[in-house]
Amino acid sequence: MVGVVIVSHSLKAAEGIKEIAQQMGRDVPVAAVGGTADGQIGTDPLAIKEAIEGVMGSDGVLLLVDLGSAVLNTQLAVEMLEDEGQDQVVLSNAPILEGAVVAVVESAMGHNLEQVKKAAEEAIHMEKLL
Amino acid sequence: MKVAKDQIVAMIKEMAISMAENKIFLTELDSAIGDGDHGINMDRGFRKVLERLPTVVDKDIGSIFKNVGMSLISAVGGAAGPLYGTYFMEFGKVAEGKEELSNGDFKMMLAAGLEGIKRRGKAVVGEKTMVDALEPAAEAFAVAAAEDKAPLACFQAAVAAAKKGKEATIPMLAKKGRAHYLGERSIGHQDPGATSSELVLRSMLKVLES
Amino acid sequence: MVETTLKIKNKSGLHLRPAAEFVKKANEFQANITLERGGKVVNGKSIIHVQALGVRQGMTINLRAVGVDAEDAVAALSELVNNKFGEE
Ligand SMILES: Nc1ncnc2c1ncn2[C@@H]1O[C@H](COP(=O)(O)OP(=O)(O)OP(=O)(O)O)[C@@H](O)[C@H]1O
Ligand SMILES: [Mg+2]
């Protein structure tokens, strides 16, 4: 199963999103990471790297981010991974919450990293006001 | 004329002092067009730099700068972390194995650092970021170095260019970072990152002046 | 093609969680699965598409499957819907 990492400026936000997403598939490995090393609002590439390693399996990992430095620090975290690991993680442009929900559904169905990424990114078109 | 390692260490300490002194100022600038944490971020980052500095002062200048970069990456928390972190990591690559630095070394460091920031943040001049201060600074340094000026004069030229570049961010519309979300509202405010960039270079100059 | 009409009885309709259950089940089959409501036809294996149909309690949908295991797919999905996805 494809792992999912949720990177937010706030650990609370990341954990909340994880909680919502995991309702869709309890067995999917999901990690939430956020905040600075001293617990402030921000992002920490070393913590992100650990989070990625924590859910890394043979099917790879999809990374979902909120804004700004979450993108830069996640890219940095990916560069810090071992070479083999780098090929197995992808950063997605998906909306963080909707994307996480869809990614977990897709991963639970056994879809591959590319399929999970594509579906998560399509979540931007998710209709809410039906 | 070369700049010795103890002066480089002094420059780094000077940066930390400058960030602590300007913590509130930078945070105020960031409150106007960002999330009001740039000064806090930079101060937190450079505290980490100071904390780790003793562990590397006996090593070459390259290792010292790489340590600055890693400290900033691990402690800053905002966009400035990966950006300045990359900047100093690139300094460290140029200065690898060196115990003193020439004008040519500094020129290459400023150019490589700038390239690193641009690669990571994808910003170009005119988008209201630290690049607006660092790019003219690197160019001015290169011009002065080509004229065979002493490091002091080269840094003076670089800092003057950074100051101008920083001031030029005021009328700009932000295209990168948090200020970008504000659109037109970002116009009329000085970019916090360009401001801290000038302070970084000014700290290096200060040591050469003393 | 195997086709059936289903009435959505669970409270939240084909909202996110039930939609997820639906597409997970649908993905267990090879058959091409579509849902139709009010003239709109969507891929029954896509969570985005299924939830975007906006199916609420009391509405009816047409479920169609084409493929070798179409029969089983329709049976399994009908059961899921009729059992209200385990919801109230
Ligand atoms: N993509 C970028 N390229 C170059 N500089 C950037 C970029 N994004 C932001 N900056 C610079 O970073 C400064 C803001 O740094 P700060 O530490 O406050 O990060 P932040 O924007 O709060 O980070 P976050 O994305 O976590 O909210 C800006 O003033 C700008 O100069
Ligand atoms: Mg900020």
Side-chain angles (χ1 to χ4, degrees):
Chain A
M1 264 185 293
V2 172
V4 178
V5 175
I6 297 155
V7 184
S8 170
H9 274 61
S10 153
L11 181 59
K12 277 191 211 159
E15 282 175 342
I17 291 168
K18 172 180 162 169
E19 231 171 26
I20 297 168
Q22 269 197 324
Q23 257 198 319
M24 303 292 184
R26 298 262 162 229
D27 305 332
V28 177
V30 181
V33 57
T36 61
D38 59 356
Q40 304 293 307
I41 296 286
T43 51
D44 172 356
L46 304 174
I48 298 169
K49 175 175 175 269
E50 279 172 25
I52 296 171
E53 288 165 345
V55 296
M56 177 69 87
S58 53
D59 296 325
V61 178
L62 185 74
L63 310 173
L64 295 153
V65 296
D66 59 5
L67 14 119
S69 69
V71 179
L72 299 178
N73 275 326
T74 300
Q75 288 168 335
L76 200 56
V78 171
E79 287 168 30
M80 289 190 286
L81 292 172
E82 306 288 323
D83 286 349
E84 317 86 80
Q86 291 194 15
D87 303 334
Q88 293 201 68
V89 295
V90 283
L91 183 54
S92 98
N93 196 33
I96 187 163
L97 190 151
E98 289 83 347
V101 167
V102 171
V104 167
V105 173
E106 289 282 314
S107 175
M109 294 189 297
H111 287 175
N112 67 29
L113 184 54
E114 197 185 319
Q115 292 168 318
V116 174
K117 174 175 187 273
K118 185 161 170 278
E121 287 178 349
E122 278 175 9
I124 193 123
H125 304 300
M126 200 136 122
E127 298 283 342
K128 296 187 194 189
L129 307 178
L130 295 166
Chain B
M1 236 174 28
K2 298 221 174 182
V3 176
K5 189 166 81 179
D6 56 342
Q7 282 180 289
I8 300 294
V9 172
M11 286 174 173
I12 293 165
K13 288 183 179 161
E14 201 56 55
M15 290 173 201
I17 293 169
S18 178
M19 292 310 145
E21 280 175 1
N22 288 285
K23 179 175 170 178
I24 292 172
F25 174 52
L26 292 173
T27 291
E28 277 170 5
L29 289 176
D30 196 31
S31 300
I33 55 168
D35 52 356
D37 61 3
H38 189 58
I40 298 166
N41 290 348
M42 292 303 287
D43 182 52
R44 177 171 52 219
F46 271 95
R47 275 170 198 269
K48 188 64 147 195
V49 169
L50 283 191
E51 188 187 308
R52 292 204 192 151
L53 195 55
T55 63
V56 286
V57 281
D58 295 331
K59 300 201 176 141
D60 65 295
I61 298 174
S63 303
I64 293 174
F65 274 127
K66 281 183 191 163
N67 200 265
V68 171
M70 276 317 291
S71 303
L72 294 178
I73 283 170
S74 70
V76 170
L83 294 168
Y84 280 122
T86 304
Y87 193 66
F88 288 106
M89 295 294 275
E90 291 296 330
F91 274 25
K93 285 186 201 162
V94 176
E96 201 170 296
K98 302 201 164 146
E99 294 293 323
E100 54 178 20
L101 298 177
S102 68
N103 256 350
D105 294 328
F106 281 121
K107 184 185 95 177
M108 274 161 64
M109 284 159 55
L110 294 178
L114 171 69
E115 279 319 304
I117 286 187
K118 290 171 82 172
R119 207 182 328 115
R120 185 151 306 287
K122 314 225 162 47
V124 295
V125 164
E127 296 189 319
K128 206 181 184 91
T129 70
M130 47 182 74
V131 171
D132 289 305
L134 295 175
E135 183 152 316
E139 281 167 5
F141 193 101
V143 169
E147 291 166 3
D148 255 348
K149 292 200 175 136
L152 172 64
C154 294
F155 267 104
Q156 279 167 338
V159 169
K163 179 170 185 283
K164 253 178 82 180
K166 164 198 82 178
E167 286 162 357
T169 64
I170 297 173
M172 285 178 190
L173 178 74
K175 295 273 177 57
K176 289 283 172 341
R178 285 229 175 197
H180 180 207
Y181 299 126
L182 295 180
E184 302 273 321
R185 268 232 294 125
S186 66
I187 293 174
H189 300 277
Q190 183 171 303
D191 179 57
T195 309
S196 59
S197 289
E198 185 206 343
L199 293 173
V200 163
L201 296 174
R202 195 173 283 287
S203 302
M204 299 178 83
L205 171 63
K206 197 169 170 190
V207 171
L208 296 179
E209 280 174 340
S210 61
Chain C
M1 184 174 80
V2 184
E3 182 172 8
T4 185
T5 302
L6 297 167
K7 187 165 173 133
I8 302 298
K9 297 179 217 151
N10 62 303
K11 253 199 189 127
S12 64
L14 269 188
H15 199 63
L16 209 49
R17 200 197 60 85
E21 295 304 322
F22 187 93
V23 296
K24 275 192 227 168
K25 182 58 81 187
N27 271 274
E28 289 172 15
F29 299 94
Q30 310 232 307
N32 209 330
I33 295 166
T34 56
L35 284 180
E36 189 218 309
R37 181 181 81 82
K40 216 167 136 190
V41 182
V42 300
N43 178 358
K45 292 184 177 183
S46 158
I47 171 87
I48 308 288
H49 292 152
V50 171
Q51 74 87 34
L53 260 191
V55 178
R56 287 192 291 271
Q57 190 177 29
M59 290 179 172
T60 51
I61 51 172
N62 285 319
L63 166 64
R64 295 190 192 98
V66 180
V68 277
D69 52 4
E71 197 97 33
D72 293 343
V74 169
L77 290 166
S78 301
E79 191 188 322
L80 185 69
V81 172
N82 290 330
N83 286 336
K84 302 183 187 179
F85 304 90
E87 269 184 31
E88 276 309 288

